[in-house]
Amino acid sequence: MLGFSSDAGDSAHAPRTHRSRRSLLRTSAGLGAALLAGGTLTGCSGRTSGTVRVRMWSWLTGMDRYVAAFNSSQRDVRVDLSVIAAGTSGGYAQQTNAIRAHNAPDILHVEYQALPQIATTGGLRDLSADVDDLADGFLPAAWQSVRPGGKTWAVPMDFCPMAFFYRKDLFDRAGIGVPRTWEEFRRAASAVRTADRDARITTFPLNDGAFFAGMACQAGDPWWDIAGNAWRVGIDGAGTMRVAEYWQDMVSSGLAARDATGTQSWISAMHHGRLWGMLGATWGVGMLKKSLPAHQGRWAVAPLPTWGDDPSTGVWGGSAFGVSAESEVPEAALTFLRWLSTDPAVPRIGSAFTFPSPAFLANRKVARTAYEDGYFTGDPVFDVLDESATRVPGWTWGPTSLSTFATIADALGPVSTGATTIPRALHRVHTSTVAAMRARGLAVTEGSRT
């Protein structure tokens, strides 16, 4: 079996009757805290003085601002936000425990890579009948990401295609062109070392499974998909092995560093010109501005290099929000989620403190006009990232994605000492993932998708 609860949206704990769900959602869709992690969240969903109160848990930066704007725009629904630890830092465990204890909030924060894992608990409502009218308005890859098993389990908010951030001033000074393919990227990496023996074109973080998954996604070889009533697993497929072999050569030859991204040593290396680029995603815009404020006018953004003529790119991050299967106010919860994902006020609010990257196509146009960027040089950031967002291939995350990411980080650790290689490590990750899924009682097959 796949592990998805086919009747999660009609749980015995859910209300048996609802008043004009569609009319309420569409009427309300256009309407213009914090708490300690690991503690017990309290609060009651329901109607008070004519206002429906909705409990929400999230760690998204700025969610308090979005909630405040929504609450002030109308009186029918009030969202009560509780800020929890980020997903892999305890947030997902907290949400899963609440689902099991029948005390989940009305709205749960589920990043795309974690959605199947949360959905297999049976704790999410099937939203297919409620939001599928919005399907054509979203980036296709984002919409597919909230539909594991063919049902819609969450509403996308943002989406993070990958890109290459690089020091344009250093590339220009050394006469190095922007690499458009991975073959050109390797030649550029060699040219960087020729220009400065202490410099590297980028780092390939061996400790980040989500990063490696994004790189494999570009290769068009999904690690999971659904075949009939079983999960088909292929973490060591041909596309992933091509990625693994390429980066094994880059790391072992010294053309790429292998340190973690975002650490103080990484910031220092970027600041002093020992790293000339970063393989990141849309969140890299804000990350660079915050980490290297004095570098304004030095950095540019380019599409992720491609495998030959295939224009595909990878994805690394993005959030969606689901409704608890046991929520007593699902209509009100969806009123807020439709607003959060589709109302043009949201990217305008977000542009004040982050780089907005909406999954909703119309809001990407709003974000482009609302966000003021004076940090980057070269091609306009939105031009690059908008194009990249349309080039993410279909990808299905698996029901053990988060634990697989942790397994990758452990397996790739010895690569730095030469005790193993990236390809060998990925074979072990594949075997481990299949075993873990079968241990959970999930039906698993292995083999080619063709």
Side-chain angles (χ1 to χ4, degrees), residues 12-31:
H13 299 275
R16 294 297 183 184
T17 59
H18 306 295
R19 68 175 180 85
S20 297
R21 178 185 302 173
R22 287 271 187 182
S23 62
L24 174 59
L25 294 179
R26 285 174 176 156
T27 299
S28 303
L31 295 172

mmCIF file with all atom_site columns, all heavy atoms in Angstrom, residues 12-31:
data_model
loop_
_atom_site.group_PDB
_atom_site.id
_atom_site.type_symbol
_atom_site.label_atom_id
_atom_site.label_alt_id
_atom_site.label_comp_id
_atom_site.label_asym_id
_atom_site.label_entity_id
_atom_site.label_seq_id
_atom_site.pdbx_PDB_ins_code
_atom_site.Cartn_x
_atom_site.Cartn_y
_atom_site.Cartn_z
_atom_site.occupancy
_atom_site.B_iso_or_equiv
_atom_site.pdbx_formal_charge
_atom_site.auth_seq_id
_atom_site.auth_comp_id
_atom_site.auth_asym_id
_atom_site.auth_atom_id
_atom_site.pdbx_PDB_model_num
ATOM 1   N N   . ALA A 1 12 ? -13.762 10.635 10.742 1.00 0.00 ? 12 ALA A N   1
ATOM 2   C CA  . ALA A 1 12 ? -14.878 10.571 11.671 1.00 0.00 ? 12 ALA A CA  1
ATOM 3   C C   . ALA A 1 12 ? -14.897 11.762 12.601 1.00 0.00 ? 12 ALA A C   1
ATOM 4   O O   . ALA A 1 12 ? -15.916 12.093 13.197 1.00 0.00 ? 12 ALA A O   1
ATOM 5   C CB  . ALA A 1 12 ? -14.794 9.275  12.480 1.00 0.00 ? 12 ALA A CB  1
ATOM 6   N N   . HIS A 1 13 ? -13.747 12.420 12.726 1.00 0.00 ? 13 HIS A N   1
ATOM 7   C CA  . HIS A 1 13 ? -13.657 13.589 13.606 1.00 0.00 ? 13 HIS A CA  1
ATOM 8   C C   . HIS A 1 13 ? -14.009 14.871 12.878 1.00 0.00 ? 13 HIS A C   1
ATOM 9   O O   . HIS A 1 13 ? -14.114 15.920 13.489 1.00 0.00 ? 13 HIS A O   1
ATOM 10  C CB  . HIS A 1 13 ? -12.241 13.690 14.179 1.00 0.00 ? 13 HIS A CB  1
ATOM 11  C CG  . HIS A 1 13 ? -11.858 12.496 14.992 1.00 0.00 ? 13 HIS A CG  1
ATOM 12  N ND1 . HIS A 1 13 ? -12.166 12.361 16.320 1.00 0.00 ? 13 HIS A ND1 1
ATOM 13  C CD2 . HIS A 1 13 ? -11.194 11.361 14.643 1.00 0.00 ? 13 HIS A CD2 1
ATOM 14  C CE1 . HIS A 1 13 ? -11.705 11.202 16.781 1.00 0.00 ? 13 HIS A CE1 1
ATOM 15  N NE2 . HIS A 1 13 ? -11.113 10.575 15.784 1.00 0.00 ? 13 HIS A NE2 1
ATOM 16  N N   . ALA A 1 14 ? -14.147 14.800 11.556 1.00 0.00 ? 14 ALA A N   1
ATOM 17  C CA  . ALA A 1 14 ? -14.477 15.996 10.781 1.00 0.00 ? 14 ALA A CA  1
ATOM 18  C C   . ALA A 1 14 ? -15.990 16.209 10.834 1.00 0.00 ? 14 ALA A C   1
ATOM 19  O O   . ALA A 1 14 ? -16.755 15.278 11.057 1.00 0.00 ? 14 ALA A O   1
ATOM 20  C CB  . ALA A 1 14 ? -14.027 15.828 9.333  1.00 0.00 ? 14 ALA A CB  1
ATOM 21  N N   . PRO A 1 15 ? -16.440 17.444 10.625 1.00 0.00 ? 15 PRO A N   1
ATOM 22  C CA  . PRO A 1 15 ? -17.877 17.703 10.654 1.00 0.00 ? 15 PRO A CA  1
ATOM 23  C C   . PRO A 1 15 ? -18.587 16.956 9.539  1.00 0.00 ? 15 PRO A C   1
ATOM 24  O O   . PRO A 1 15 ? -18.067 16.798 8.444  1.00 0.00 ? 15 PRO A O   1
ATOM 25  C CB  . PRO A 1 15 ? -17.971 19.221 10.460 1.00 0.00 ? 15 PRO A CB  1
ATOM 26  C CG  . PRO A 1 15 ? -16.689 19.611 9.820  1.00 0.00 ? 15 PRO A CG  1
ATOM 27  C CD  . PRO A 1 15 ? -15.668 18.664 10.341 1.00 0.00 ? 15 PRO A CD  1
ATOM 28  N N   . ARG A 1 16 ? -19.811 16.532 9.815  1.00 0.00 ? 16 ARG A N   1
ATOM 29  C CA  . ARG A 1 16 ? -20.562 15.756 8.840  1.00 0.00 ? 16 ARG A CA  1
ATOM 30  C C   . ARG A 1 16 ? -21.226 16.631 7.799  1.00 0.00 ? 16 ARG A C   1
ATOM 31  O O   . ARG A 1 16 ? -21.495 16.197 6.693  1.00 0.00 ? 16 ARG A O   1
ATOM 32  C CB  . ARG A 1 16 ? -21.647 14.939 9.568  1.00 0.00 ? 16 ARG A CB  1
ATOM 33  C CG  . ARG A 1 16 ? -21.054 13.864 10.490 1.00 0.00 ? 16 ARG A CG  1
ATOM 34  C CD  . ARG A 1 16 ? -20.285 12.849 9.684  1.00 0.00 ? 16 ARG A CD  1
ATOM 35  N NE  . ARG A 1 16 ? -19.775 11.785 10.536 1.00 0.00 ? 16 ARG A NE  1
ATOM 36  C CZ  . ARG A 1 16 ? -19.003 10.813 10.123 1.00 0.00 ? 16 ARG A CZ  1
ATOM 37  N NH1 . ARG A 1 16 ? -18.622 10.767 8.878  1.00 0.00 ? 16 ARG A NH1 1
ATOM 38  N NH2 . ARG A 1 16 ? -18.583 9.880  10.946 1.00 0.00 ? 16 ARG A NH2 1
ATOM 39  N N   . THR A 1 17 ? -21.558 17.866 8.166  1.00 0.00 ? 17 THR A N   1
ATOM 40  C CA  . THR A 1 17 ? -22.200 18.763 7.212  1.00 0.00 ? 17 THR A CA  1
ATOM 41  C C   . THR A 1 17 ? -21.489 20.088 7.221  1.00 0.00 ? 17 THR A C   1
ATOM 42  O O   . THR A 1 17 ? -20.947 20.512 8.237  1.00 0.00 ? 17 THR A O   1
ATOM 43  C CB  . THR A 1 17 ? -23.678 18.987 7.571  1.00 0.00 ? 17 THR A CB  1
ATOM 44  O OG1 . THR A 1 17 ? -23.765 19.547 8.889  1.00 0.00 ? 17 THR A OG1 1
ATOM 45  C CG2 . THR A 1 17 ? -24.447 17.681 7.530  1.00 0.00 ? 17 THR A CG2 1
ATOM 46  N N   . HIS A 1 18 ? -21.477 20.757 6.064  1.00 0.00 ? 18 HIS A N   1
ATOM 47  C CA  . HIS A 1 18 ? -20.821 22.059 5.927  1.00 0.00 ? 18 HIS A CA  1
ATOM 48  C C   . HIS A 1 18 ? -21.741 22.966 5.141  1.00 0.00 ? 18 HIS A C   1
ATOM 49  O O   . HIS A 1 18 ? -22.427 22.520 4.235  1.00 0.00 ? 18 HIS A O   1
ATOM 50  C CB  . HIS A 1 18 ? -19.482 21.924 5.180  1.00 0.00 ? 18 HIS A CB  1
ATOM 51  C CG  . HIS A 1 18 ? -18.574 20.909 5.795  1.00 0.00 ? 18 HIS A CG  1
ATOM 52  N ND1 . HIS A 1 18 ? -18.038 21.051 7.040  1.00 0.00 ? 18 HIS A ND1 1
ATOM 53  C CD2 . HIS A 1 18 ? -18.127 19.725 5.317  1.00 0.00 ? 18 HIS A CD2 1
ATOM 54  C CE1 . HIS A 1 18 ? -17.290 20.005 7.320  1.00 0.00 ? 18 HIS A CE1 1
ATOM 55  N NE2 . HIS A 1 18 ? -17.327 19.180 6.298  1.00 0.00 ? 18 HIS A NE2 1
ATOM 56  N N   . ARG A 1 19 ? -21.708 24.234 5.463  1.00 0.00 ? 19 ARG A N   1
ATOM 57  C CA  . ARG A 1 19 ? -22.586 25.151 4.740  1.00 0.00 ? 19 ARG A CA  1
ATOM 58  C C   . ARG A 1 19 ? -21.849 25.735 3.547  1.00 0.00 ? 19 ARG A C   1
ATOM 59  O O   . ARG A 1 19 ? -20.784 26.324 3.695  1.00 0.00 ? 19 ARG A O   1
ATOM 60  C CB  . ARG A 1 19 ? -23.090 26.278 5.660  1.00 0.00 ? 19 ARG A CB  1
ATOM 61  C CG  . ARG A 1 19 ? -22.034 27.268 6.113  1.00 0.00 ? 19 ARG A CG  1
ATOM 62  C CD  . ARG A 1 19 ? -22.673 28.410 6.926  1.00 0.00 ? 19 ARG A CD  1
ATOM 63  N NE  . ARG A 1 19 ? -21.688 29.369 7.360  1.00 0.00 ? 19 ARG A NE  1
ATOM 64  C CZ  . ARG A 1 19 ? -21.276 30.386 6.615  1.00 0.00 ? 19 ARG A CZ  1
ATOM 65  N NH1 . ARG A 1 19 ? -21.749 30.537 5.398  1.00 0.00 ? 19 ARG A NH1 1
ATOM 66  N NH2 . ARG A 1 19 ? -20.384 31.226 7.077  1.00 0.00 ? 19 ARG A NH2 1
ATOM 67  N N   . SER A 1 20 ? -22.386 25.542 2.373  1.00 0.00 ? 20 SER A N   1
ATOM 68  C CA  . SER A 1 20 ? -21.899 26.147 1.131  1.00 0.00 ? 20 SER A CA  1
ATOM 69  C C   . SER A 1 20 ? -20.394 26.322 1.106  1.00 0.00 ? 20 SER A C   1
ATOM 70  O O   . SER A 1 20 ? -19.887 27.420 1.059  1.00 0.00 ? 20 SER A O   1
ATOM 71  C CB  . SER A 1 20 ? -22.528 27.531 0.941  1.00 0.00 ? 20 SER A CB  1
ATOM 72  O OG  . SER A 1 20 ? -23.885 27.456 0.799  1.00 0.00 ? 20 SER A OG  1
ATOM 73  N N   . ARG A 1 21 ? -19.677 25.224 1.157  1.00 0.00 ? 21 ARG A N   1
ATOM 74  C CA  . ARG A 1 21 ? -18.215 25.325 1.225  1.00 0.00 ? 21 ARG A CA  1
ATOM 75  C C   . ARG A 1 21 ? -17.651 26.149 0.078  1.00 0.00 ? 21 ARG A C   1
ATOM 76  O O   . ARG A 1 21 ? -16.871 27.057 0.267  1.00 0.00 ? 21 ARG A O   1
ATOM 77  C CB  . ARG A 1 21 ? -17.608 23.924 1.202  1.00 0.00 ? 21 ARG A CB  1
ATOM 78  C CG  . ARG A 1 21 ? -16.100 23.933 1.212  1.00 0.00 ? 21 ARG A CG  1
ATOM 79  C CD  . ARG A 1 21 ? -15.544 22.539 1.078  1.00 0.00 ? 21 ARG A CD  1
ATOM 80  N NE  . ARG A 1 21 ? -16.018 21.679 2.136  1.00 0.00 ? 21 ARG A NE  1
ATOM 81  C CZ  . ARG A 1 21 ? -15.780 20.362 2.157  1.00 0.00 ? 21 ARG A CZ  1
ATOM 82  N NH1 . ARG A 1 21 ? -15.111 19.803 1.186  1.00 0.00 ? 21 ARG A NH1 1
ATOM 83  N NH2 . ARG A 1 21 ? -16.239 19.631 3.146  1.00 0.00 ? 21 ARG A NH2 1
ATOM 84  N N   . ARG A 1 22 ? -18.051 25.825 -1.145 1.00 0.00 ? 22 ARG A N   1
ATOM 85  C CA  . ARG A 1 22 ? -17.518 26.531 -2.314 1.00 0.00 ? 22 ARG A CA  1
ATOM 86  C C   . ARG A 1 22 ? -17.837 28.018 -2.260 1.00 0.00 ? 22 ARG A C   1
ATOM 87  O O   . ARG A 1 22 ? -16.994 28.854 -2.521 1.00 0.00 ? 22 ARG A O   1
ATOM 88  C CB  . ARG A 1 22 ? -18.096 25.930 -3.590 1.00 0.00 ? 22 ARG A CB  1
ATOM 89  C CG  . ARG A 1 22 ? -17.525 24.574 -3.939 1.00 0.00 ? 22 ARG A CG  1
ATOM 90  C CD  . ARG A 1 22 ? -16.315 24.731 -4.793 1.00 0.00 ? 22 ARG A CD  1
ATOM 91  N NE  . ARG A 1 22 ? -15.863 23.444 -5.261 1.00 0.00 ? 22 ARG A NE  1
ATOM 92  C CZ  . ARG A 1 22 ? -14.796 23.273 -6.000 1.00 0.00 ? 22 ARG A CZ  1
ATOM 93  N NH1 . ARG A 1 22 ? -14.080 24.309 -6.326 1.00 0.00 ? 22 ARG A NH1 1
ATOM 94  N NH2 . ARG A 1 22 ? -14.428 22.086 -6.396 1.00 0.00 ? 22 ARG A NH2 1
ATOM 95  N N   . SER A 1 23 ? -19.104 28.349 -1.899 1.00 0.00 ? 23 SER A N   1
ATOM 96  C CA  . SER A 1 23 ? -19.480 29.760 -1.909 1.00 0.00 ? 23 SER A CA  1
ATOM 97  C C   . SER A 1 23 ? -18.729 30.525 -0.837 1.00 0.00 ? 23 SER A C   1
ATOM 98  O O   . SER A 1 23 ? -18.308 31.662 -1.052 1.00 0.00 ? 23 SER A O   1
ATOM 99  C CB  . SER A 1 23 ? -20.983 29.914 -1.701 1.00 0.00 ? 23 SER A CB  1
ATOM 100 O OG  . SER A 1 23 ? -21.376 29.399 -0.443 1.00 0.00 ? 23 SER A OG  1
ATOM 101 N N   . LEU A 1 24 ? -18.523 29.888 0.332  1.00 0.00 ? 24 LEU A N   1
ATOM 102 C CA  . LEU A 1 24 ? -17.784 30.575 1.388  1.00 0.00 ? 24 LEU A CA  1
ATOM 103 C C   . LEU A 1 24 ? -16.342 30.809 0.983  1.00 0.00 ? 24 LEU A C   1
ATOM 104 O O   . LEU A 1 24 ? -15.792 31.894 1.160  1.00 0.00 ? 24 LEU A O   1
ATOM 105 C CB  . LEU A 1 24 ? -17.832 29.740 2.679  1.00 0.00 ? 24 LEU A CB  1
ATOM 106 C CG  . LEU A 1 24 ? -16.984 30.267 3.848  1.00 0.00 ? 24 LEU A CG  1
ATOM 107 C CD1 . LEU A 1 24 ? -17.432 31.673 4.218  1.00 0.00 ? 24 LEU A CD1 1
ATOM 108 C CD2 . LEU A 1 24 ? -17.083 29.337 5.046  1.00 0.00 ? 24 LEU A CD2 1
ATOM 109 N N   . LEU A 1 25 ? -15.712 29.783 0.394  1.00 0.00 ? 25 LEU A N   1
ATOM 110 C CA  . LEU A 1 25 ? -14.317 29.922 0.002  1.00 0.00 ? 25 LEU A CA  1
ATOM 111 C C   . LEU A 1 25 ? -14.139 31.009 -1.042 1.00 0.00 ? 25 LEU A C   1
ATOM 112 O O   . LEU A 1 25 ? -13.250 31.855 -0.948 1.00 0.00 ? 25 LEU A O   1
ATOM 113 C CB  . LEU A 1 25 ? -13.798 28.593 -0.553 1.00 0.00 ? 25 LEU A CB  1
ATOM 114 C CG  . LEU A 1 25 ? -13.711 27.434 0.453  1.00 0.00 ? 25 LEU A CG  1
ATOM 115 C CD1 . LEU A 1 25 ? -13.203 26.193 -0.262 1.00 0.00 ? 25 LEU A CD1 1
ATOM 116 C CD2 . LEU A 1 25 ? -12.803 27.782 1.602  1.00 0.00 ? 25 LEU A CD2 1
ATOM 117 N N   . ARG A 1 26 ? -15.009 31.018 -2.043 1.00 0.00 ? 26 ARG A N   1
ATOM 118 C CA  . ARG A 1 26 ? -14.830 31.977 -3.131 1.00 0.00 ? 26 ARG A CA  1
ATOM 119 C C   . ARG A 1 26 ? -15.199 33.386 -2.703 1.00 0.00 ? 26 ARG A C   1
ATOM 120 O O   . ARG A 1 26 ? -14.608 34.353 -3.156 1.00 0.00 ? 26 ARG A O   1
ATOM 121 C CB  . ARG A 1 26 ? -15.666 31.540 -4.326 1.00 0.00 ? 26 ARG A CB  1
ATOM 122 C CG  . ARG A 1 26 ? -15.016 30.344 -5.029 1.00 0.00 ? 26 ARG A CG  1
ATOM 123 C CD  . ARG A 1 26 ? -15.872 29.791 -6.117 1.00 0.00 ? 26 ARG A CD  1
ATOM 124 N NE  . ARG A 1 26 ? -15.157 28.720 -6.804 1.00 0.00 ? 26 ARG A NE  1
ATOM 125 C CZ  . ARG A 1 26 ? -15.742 27.749 -7.473 1.00 0.00 ? 26 ARG A CZ  1
ATOM 126 N NH1 . ARG A 1 26 ? -17.055 27.707 -7.548 1.00 0.00 ? 26 ARG A NH1 1
ATOM 127 N NH2 . ARG A 1 26 ? -15.042 26.825 -8.067 1.00 0.00 ? 26 ARG A NH2 1
ATOM 128 N N   . THR A 1 27 ? -16.177 33.511 -1.805 1.00 0.00 ? 27 THR A N   1
ATOM 129 C CA  . THR A 1 27 ? -16.553 34.831 -1.328 1.00 0.00 ? 27 THR A CA  1
ATOM 130 C C   . THR A 1 27 ? -15.436 35.443 -0.506 1.00 0.00 ? 27 THR A C   1
ATOM 131 O O   . THR A 1 27 ? -15.158 36.638 -0.568 1.00 0.00 ? 27 THR A O   1
ATOM 132 C CB  . THR A 1 27 ? -17.828 34.746 -0.464 1.00 0.00 ? 27 THR A CB  1
ATOM 133 O OG1 . THR A 1 27 ? -18.876 34.235 -1.266 1.00 0.00 ? 27 THR A OG1 1
ATOM 134 C CG2 . THR A 1 27 ? -18.217 36.112 0.068  1.00 0.00 ? 27 THR A CG2 1
ATOM 135 N N   . SER A 1 28 ? -14.746 34.574 0.277  1.00 0.00 ? 28 SER A N   1
ATOM 136 C CA  . SER A 1 28 ? -13.747 35.086 1.206  1.00 0.00 ? 28 SER A CA  1
ATOM 137 C C   . SER A 1 28 ? -12.351 35.131 0.614  1.00 0.00 ? 28 SER A C   1
ATOM 138 O O   . SER A 1 28 ? -11.464 35.748 1.190  1.00 0.00 ? 28 SER A O   1
ATOM 139 C CB  . SER A 1 28 ? -13.713 34.198 2.455  1.00 0.00 ? 28 SER A CB  1
ATOM 140 O OG  . SER A 1 28 ? -14.992 34.132 3.043  1.00 0.00 ? 28 SER A OG  1
ATOM 141 N N   . ALA A 1 29 ? -12.129 34.475 -0.552 1.00 0.00 ? 29 ALA A N   1
ATOM 142 C CA  . ALA A 1 29 ? -10.773 34.318 -1.050 1.00 0.00 ? 29 ALA A CA  1
ATOM 143 C C   . ALA A 1 29 ? -10.101 35.635 -1.366 1.00 0.00 ? 29 ALA A C   1
ATOM 144 O O   . ALA A 1 29 ? -8.890  35.763 -1.238 1.00 0.00 ? 29 ALA A O   1
ATOM 145 C CB  . ALA A 1 29 ? -10.772 33.425 -2.294 1.00 0.00 ? 29 ALA A CB  1
ATOM 146 N N   . GLY A 1 30 ? -10.849 36.662 -1.764 1.00 0.00 ? 30 GLY A N   1
ATOM 147 C CA  . GLY A 1 30 ? -10.232 37.913 -2.161 1.00 0.00 ? 30 GLY A CA  1
ATOM 148 C C   . GLY A 1 30 ? -10.092 38.914 -1.031 1.00 0.00 ? 30 GLY A C   1
ATOM 149 O O   . GLY A 1 30 ? -9.702  40.044 -1.275 1.00 0.00 ? 30 GLY A O   1
ATOM 150 N N   . LEU A 1 31 ? -10.421 38.576 0.214  1.00 0.00 ? 31 LEU A N   1
ATOM 151 C CA  . LEU A 1 31 ? -10.308 39.500 1.346  1.00 0.00 ? 31 LEU A CA  1
ATOM 152 C C   . LEU A 1 31 ? -8.871  39.926 1.577  1.00 0.00 ? 31 LEU A C   1
ATOM 153 O O   . LEU A 1 31 ? -7.944  39.126 1.470  1.00 0.00 ? 31 LEU A O   1
ATOM 154 C CB  . LEU A 1 31 ? -10.846 38.845 2.614  1.00 0.00 ? 31 LEU A CB  1
ATOM 155 C CG  . LEU A 1 31 ? -12.340 38.528 2.608  1.00 0.00 ? 31 LEU A CG  1
ATOM 156 C CD1 . LEU A 1 31 ? -12.702 37.721 3.830  1.00 0.00 ? 31 LEU A CD1 1
ATOM 157 C CD2 . LEU A 1 31 ? -13.163 39.788 2.563  1.00 0.00 ? 31 LEU A CD2 1
#
